[in-house]
Amino acid sequence: VQLQASGGGLVQAGGSLRLSCTASGSIFSINFKGWYRQAPGKQRELVARIFSGGSTNYADSVKDRFTISRDNAKNTMYLQMNSLKPEDTAVYYCNADIRRVGVAVYCDYWGQGTLVTVSS
């Protein structure tokens, strides 16, 4: 089982990017949990969470600019990022609980990270 984050890149301030997080492999069930980011020299921080019922919450720094969503049929979670700022520059990681086929419990998985660079 693998969690693959993609969609990062270089964008000018004010621009937009959409990150994707796709799970692959022998998956029985998946609960996407959220996106985190880690800027150089800083600790990893929560950006956005999505709950099983569909509710969401966001870090104050990204509220009203970022939107988290998921497509369960595609085993994919998204992060739409608008009005990007230089301070959004970081490696973005996705996180999910996945139950593999033939296994009775969920395990915590992280994507490998995708780099977002916002130039001023």
Side-chain angles (χ1 to χ4, degrees):
V1 170
Q2 190 175 16
L3 209 53
Q4 180 78 31
S6 62
L10 174 64
V11 63
Q12 288 189 331
S16 297
L17 284 173
R18 188 175 81 155
L19 306 184
S20 298
C21 174
T22 300
S24 60
S26 298
I27 297 169
F28 181 82
S29 180
I30 183 168
N31 291 326
F32 286 108
K33 294 194 288 188
W35 289 92
Y36 292 73
R37 68 185 181 187
Q38 188 167 17
K42 295 188 176 181
Q43 289 189 327
R44 189 173 297 190
E45 63 175 359
L46 174 68
V47 176
R49 284 194 297 182
I50 186 164
F51 299 93
S52 57
S55 61
T56 59
N57 63 28
Y58 299 89
D60 287 342
S61 59
V62 307
K63 206 170 291 184
D64 299 324
R65 298 189 297 122
F66 290 10
T67 302
I68 188 172
S69 63
R70 67 184 177 213
D71 185 335
N72 290 332
K74 295 182 178 180
N75 281 344
T76 300
M77 177 175 63
Y78 303 98
L79 185 68
Q80 178 66 44
M81 305 186 295
N82 299 327
S83 303
L84 282 161
K85 304 175 180 180
E87 52 263 43
D88 295 318
T89 294
V91 177
Y92 284 71
Y93 299 90
C94 56
N95 181 227
D97 285 332
I98 299 175
R99 181 180 170 188
R100 296 163 54 194
V101 172
V103 177
V105 297
Y106 285 85
C107 294
D108 185 54
Y109 283 82
W110 289 86
Q112 85 289 0
T114 185
L115 176 63
V116 173
T117 304
V118 185
S119 63
S120 57

